[in-house]
Amino acid sequence: MLRNLLTFITLLVATIALAQKGTVTGTITALENGTVQPMPFVNVSVKGTTIVTSTDLDGKFSLPLEAGTHTLQVSFVSYDPVEREVAVTAGNSTAMDVRLESSGRELVEYKKVKERKRDTEGAVMMDMKNSEQVANGIGRQQIAKGQDRTAGDVVKRIPGVTLIGDRFVMVRGLADRYNTVLLNDASAPSMESDKRAFSFDLIPSAALDRVMIYKTGAPELPGDFAGGAIAITTVSVPAENETKVSYGTGIRNGSTFQPFFSGKGSATDALGFDNGVRRLPDAFPSRITTNTSAEQLTAAGRSLENNWVADESTSMPDQRFGLMIARRFGKGDRNNIGTITAIDYSNTRASYDARNLNFNAYDQTTGRSDTIYNYLDNENLHTVRASVLHNWSVLLGSKGKLEFRNLFNQIGEDRTTLRTGRDLEGGNEVQNYSFRYQQRTSYNGQLHGSHGMGTNGKLDWTLGYALARSIEPDTRRVRTFRALGQSDSSTPYTVVVPPGASRDDAGRFFSELHENAMSGKLDYVKTFEKEGRRIVPKLRVGAFVERKDRTFEARWMSFVKANIAQFDNSLLSQPLSAVFADANINSTTGFKLSEGTNPSDRYNAANTLLAAYVGTGIDFNKKVNVNGGVRLEHNRQELNSARNGGEAVNVDKTVTSLLPSVNIAYNISTRALVRAAYSTTVNRPEFRELAPFSFYDFTFNNVLYGNDELSVATINNMDLRWEFYPSNTEVVSVGVFHKIFRDPIEMFFVPSGGGGGTRNFSFRNAENGESTGAELEVRRSLSGLFTEGYLSRLGVSLNASIIRSTVDLGADAVGQARNRPMMGQSPYVVNAGIYYTNTEKQVQYNVQWNVFGKRLFAVGTVGTGDLYEMPRNSLDATITKGFGKRWDVKVSAQDILNQRTLLQQDSNEDGTIGANDQELLSYRRGTYFSASVGFKL
């Protein structure tokens, strides 16, 4: 598709080169504050036609027209419209400059106060061009053109970004741990018990105003990143009163109207949280030990729900609902107070079959690996999302603003796995079951102020609070088997009961994570601008403070034989619904509970960050802009836990980092510039990476635990980039970057760490690493090539990244390659899209394509090659039609190609994936079709 798209663009360019047309060019200006200023976003149209363009960031426009005489109309809010007649000759350029005059009415009656729109494509493009750092972004206007439903879906459209597991973001091929996320200027919370990452699926796309990714360091940006600082801004108060209601539904090929399996739930699952049904009963023992009496064990076992069998139902179409209410208070244009409330709700289901295999070590003689198991996992995923956004804004005259921003999210996810297949190494057929429910709650609130200070001075401050909770109540797993080749298929399956506590055999797991974060931020900038001065200096100073507190606690247990000598083995062959019935939980012939919770299954942690910065910028005659400075970060990490045997783990690490940075921009012309940047940043261990808690991966039979001896990594970042802005909504850019890591934190295989085929991993500091890449971005409208007709309403976008990274794990890399790519890094990522807009008919559609290169998914061990996620093409399409001023309908198809997700193992460890390499996991989720209708009051 990429080749066809490039060919298409080339033909368009060739066509216009042969066209016999002329061009009208010019600059639109206006008198503001006593000086003549260029005017961006001014409409320039041909009277009596639909031909229209707008001025770019420098007030310039270019309009190709047929030879002849045309009347051009120039219009902008609060200025008198202008009409000019112009003669166009073929092959020539005709100049037409216009100076707009204020209509004057508002100046006589009152002082007009308004906010600059920041969510349009033009506004985002302007911020990218004027940014002092290398930056990419996407605004609400562009988001609305697609069918992306979460912030994760949105950010993967930005150059250099890929999405892992539908919710974790990688920037420039660097794992999620190397990115920092700011939600409305405050640090975003993490709710992951097994990794350092912000879950981008928490935020619905409808709540987004814009997303900006800063790829180079700056004094005012957090110093803990290497891939990107991702700034998410939620919607603010619009310019007018508005109420909008939307309803949508969706069906998934292979899921909807098909059988759906789930564990027993609660009455509040439809709201995204469990009402307590899955939690341990109030009277349940605080700890089960060898001293717990038989009577207490029996009572505790019987108090747990006998919920080991999946309920079957029919998967109905997905449901989505949205409500947005925006209000301004005041008279006329003096309405300086506004509020917006947005409520989004979705209830969705997806089911699919996944092939899950594992193999022994590769045999070089036979050229193959013997199969350990071959399973078919029937995955059933039920997800409920509820989001409430409530923001207030007060404009304080012409230079100040006060905002109170709130975002609450609730997500409940019920995943039921029914596993069938053959355990070839054990000689059994299996039927295994896993029931996992997770509820996640987050709240993020800020009080933000922005104030003009004297002449060309500005003070910004933010007070923030964030709450994150993740609860996993009663995850259950049970295995059953019967011998392979049973001639009688009615032979019952036998339940596997462990000799001691287990998370997998008749096991139950409970966990809770709570995190609170409070922050304060102060920024002041002063520009020393004076009329006639060719060199304009700028001073920037600020401070930041943040305190995070987290508690994590897990508890797990399983049913075992109460008395081996007296146990009734016939119980193991009963129907699964009857095996753990109350009557079978007793101290003689039945089952009892055995708890395996150990001291490493809980920790308390805190992080205190104090930061201050000073920076300066110098604008040399609007040609060269140099911005540099230094940021000082003083960070203290504390964590208290213990190892399995009870040995205390007490972390108290204080590190002070001095982080210099410089960004240089050279303006080749008013539309083109070159950037160069250098910065030093850090990458600190996260709570999870320091804690000894062991996280078990059911699908891949891996265990991951932390390392309290980790140290802070340091990264040197270098960037070079060329940017060209043909108009205020178009860009062409090419860039390269190089990063050098010292003591990067990586995942290491731990030899002889597990039993029964389980592989253990932990975190350690590698010796060093490097990452090098190139990026391309193109956003163009064809209206500059075709002044009318279908093609004049088309736009194209393309962004692509090529990345190469290596990491030297050092002498500690036992059982795995010492040198390898960084985890999750794709050698290439490509996004392309075609957009069509017809304003008169209220129709727009788009087609978007994405593909990523083979990326390292899991580290291999001795005799077991690395595991890679293979390339996958995805194609999405959306069409929207408006009806009058109130109604709109959107229809979309997502993942039209429905290519399978494929994980393959480099079994022969030759560094490539070929015919002799095994498939470990593969599945297709199915094409998703959705439709929604919106109504404005």
Side-chain angles (χ1 to χ4, degrees), residues 325-608:
I325 302 173
R327 291 292 182 269
R328 285 277 192 178
F329 302 98
K331 296 181 180 179
D333 285 338
R334 298 177 189 265
N335 50 352
N336 297 337
I337 300 177
T339 181
I340 183 169
T341 301
I343 301 173
D344 286 275
Y345 173 83
S346 66
N347 193 322
T348 65
R349 286 178 169 83
S351 62
Y352 57 90
D353 290 330
R355 292 193 63 205
N356 192 340
L357 303 97
N358 202 356
F359 299 87
N360 282 313
Y362 183 80
D363 189 330
Q364 295 288 348
T365 303
T366 62
R368 59 188 295 271
S369 301
D370 292 331
T371 305
I372 298 176
Y373 58 73
N374 187 341
Y375 297 149
L376 183 67
D377 292 348
N378 177 233
E379 300 282 3
N380 301 265
L381 186 62
H382 179 201
T383 305
V384 173
R385 303 174 187 270
S387 171
V388 180
L389 177 144
H390 184 65
N391 292 347
W392 284 84
S393 178
V394 180
L395 298 180
L396 308 174
S398 61
K399 292 186 177 181
K401 181 169 64 172
L402 189 65
E403 293 180 287
F404 181 42
R405 302 178 292 214
N406 303 270
L407 179 63
F408 172 83
N409 288 283
Q410 181 70 44
I411 299 179
E413 185 176 273
D414 188 356
R415 179 183 289 270
T416 298
T417 303
L418 309 181
R419 174 172 289 174
T420 58
R422 297 175 298 164
D423 176 6
L424 300 175
E425 197 166 69
N428 298 313
E429 289 184 60
V430 304
Q431 283 190 353
N432 302 340
Y433 306 86
S434 173
F435 304 91
R436 182 176 186 261
Y437 182 84
Q438 182 185 26
Q439 64 182 60
R440 293 179 287 157
T441 305
S442 72
Y443 167 75
N444 197 281
Q446 299 91 26
L447 184 62
H448 171 76
S450 180
H451 313 275
M453 305 291 288
T455 304
N456 297 325
K458 185 181 179 184
L459 178 70
D460 282 277
W461 57 269
T462 303
L463 297 176
Y465 171 73
L467 164 72
R469 297 181 63 193
S470 177
I471 300 176
E472 192 175 330
D474 200 14
T475 292
R476 306 176 303 285
R477 298 187 182 114
V478 62
R479 295 191 297 164
T480 69
F481 72 95
R482 68 184 180 192
L484 277 173
Q486 290 282 355
S487 58
D488 183 4
S489 60
S490 64
T491 299
Y493 284 83
T494 300
V495 173
V496 177
V497 178
S502 169
R503 296 185 188 184
D504 306 309
D505 295 324
R508 310 184 86 129
F509 175 86
F510 305 80
S511 73
E512 291 195 21
L513 180 151
H514 299 259
E515 182 172 296
N516 292 276
M518 300 181 67
S519 62
K521 185 180 180 184
L522 187 66
D523 301 284
Y524 175 75
V525 60
K526 170 75 172 180
T527 303
F528 299 92
E529 188 171 6
K530 187 175 181 181
E531 186 175 354
R533 176 179 287 176
R534 298 170 63 88
I535 299 177
V536 180
K538 180 187 294 184
L539 174 67
R540 184 183 290 108
V541 295
F544 177 78
V545 58
E546 180 188 64
R547 168 75 178 194
K548 285 184 180 180
D549 291 277
R550 174 186 285 193
T551 61
F552 174 80
E553 185 171 0
R555 192 174 180 187
W556 52 279
M557 62 202 70
S558 64
F559 284 109
V560 300
K561 296 176 182 180
N563 188 313
I564 296 178
Q566 295 178 284
F567 182 75
D568 182 3
N569 284 291
S570 66
L571 298 180
L572 301 178
S573 299
Q574 289 186 4
L576 191 55
S577 59
V579 173
F580 300 109
D582 285 356
N584 296 338
I585 301 174
N586 57 66
S587 60
T588 55
T589 61
F591 303 98
K592 69 175 182 179
L593 282 174
S594 177
E595 184 167 358
T597 308
N598 60 71
S600 71
D601 291 322
R602 64 181 63 89
Y603 64 84
N604 298 314
N607 193 91
T608 304

Side-chain angles (χ1 to χ4, degrees), residues 598-861:
N598 60 71
S600 71
D601 291 322
R602 64 181 63 89
Y603 64 84
N604 298 314
N607 193 91
T608 304
L609 174 63
L610 304 175
Y613 71 86
V614 59
T616 183
I618 302 177
D619 188 349
F620 296 91
N621 200 26
K622 296 185 179 181
K623 199 73 175 177
V624 179
N625 191 278
V626 179
N627 289 273
V630 64
R631 183 180 182 91
L632 182 68
E633 293 194 344
H634 181 79
N635 193 76
R636 182 183 182 186
Q637 286 184 314
E638 303 168 86
L639 184 140
N640 298 305
S641 185
R643 307 194 194 283
N644 288 357
E647 179 189 354
V649 174
N650 296 309
V651 177
D652 191 346
K653 296 183 178 181
T654 301
V655 177
T656 300
S657 305
L658 193 64
L659 308 173
S661 62
V662 61
N663 289 269
I664 303 172
Y666 173 70
N667 292 284
I668 303 172
S669 67
T670 57
R671 299 186 183 186
L673 68 153
V674 175
R675 299 184 189 272
Y678 170 83
S679 63
T680 299
T681 57
V682 296
N683 186 227
R684 302 185 182 97
E686 186 52 59
F687 297 142
R688 170 63 194 92
E689 297 165 343
L690 295 169
F693 170 71
S694 299
F695 176 83
Y696 177 71
D697 187 322
F698 172 74
T699 302
F700 295 100
N701 198 29
N702 293 339
V703 174
L704 178 65
Y705 57 89
N707 175 10
D708 60 288
E709 296 182 355
L710 290 175
S711 58
V712 175
T714 303
I715 307 101
N716 293 310
N717 310 274
M718 290 150 278
D719 276 80
L720 183 64
R721 179 155 142 167
W722 171 80
E723 300 174 5
F724 175 64
Y725 295 86
S727 74
N728 58 343
T729 59
E730 298 177 305
V731 63
V732 179
S733 70
V734 179
V736 293
F737 63 87
H738 182 65
K739 298 177 182 292
I740 302 173
F741 297 79
R742 186 172 72 248
D743 300 323
I745 299 171
E746 285 286 319
M747 193 170 74
F748 283 70
F749 169 63
V750 181
S752 304
T758 301
R759 298 182 298 177
N760 283 13
F761 296 89
S762 186
F763 300 98
R764 293 180 187 173
N765 290 100
E767 289 191 359
N768 56 70
E770 292 188 2
S771 178
T772 305
E775 297 174 331
L776 165 70
E777 181 180 14
V778 178
R779 295 190 213 175
R780 291 301 309 266
S781 169
L782 302 187
S783 60
L785 304 176
F786 299 91
T787 58
E788 56 186 351
Y790 174 81
L791 293 178
S792 67
R793 298 184 173 93
L794 278 179
V796 296
S797 69
L798 169 69
N799 67 71
S801 302
I802 300 175
I803 304 164
R804 180 182 180 273
S805 72
T806 59
V807 60
D808 183 355
L809 302 180
D812 290 336
V814 179
Q816 65 183 110
R818 173 168 175 166
N819 294 281
R820 61 164 172 80
M822 290 185 169
M823 288 286 293
Q825 179 236 289
S826 295
Y828 63 87
V829 181
V830 182
N831 290 287
I834 299 175
Y835 303 87
Y836 171 85
T837 301
N838 188 322
T839 305
E840 294 80 9
K841 294 184 179 181
Q842 301 184 70
V843 174
Q844 66 178 27
Y845 72 78
N846 69 80
V847 179
Q848 295 174 310
W849 168 67
N850 167 266
V851 65
F852 59 84
K854 179 188 72 175
R855 56 195 183 196
L856 183 62
F857 183 85
V859 177
T861 67

Side-chain angles (χ1 to χ4, degrees), residues 146-164:
Q147 74 275 34
D148 296 331
R149 297 184 178 86
T150 70
D153 297 325
V154 171
V155 297
K156 72 180 182 182
R157 309 292 182 189
I158 298 176
V161 176
T162 52
L163 201 63
I164 305 294

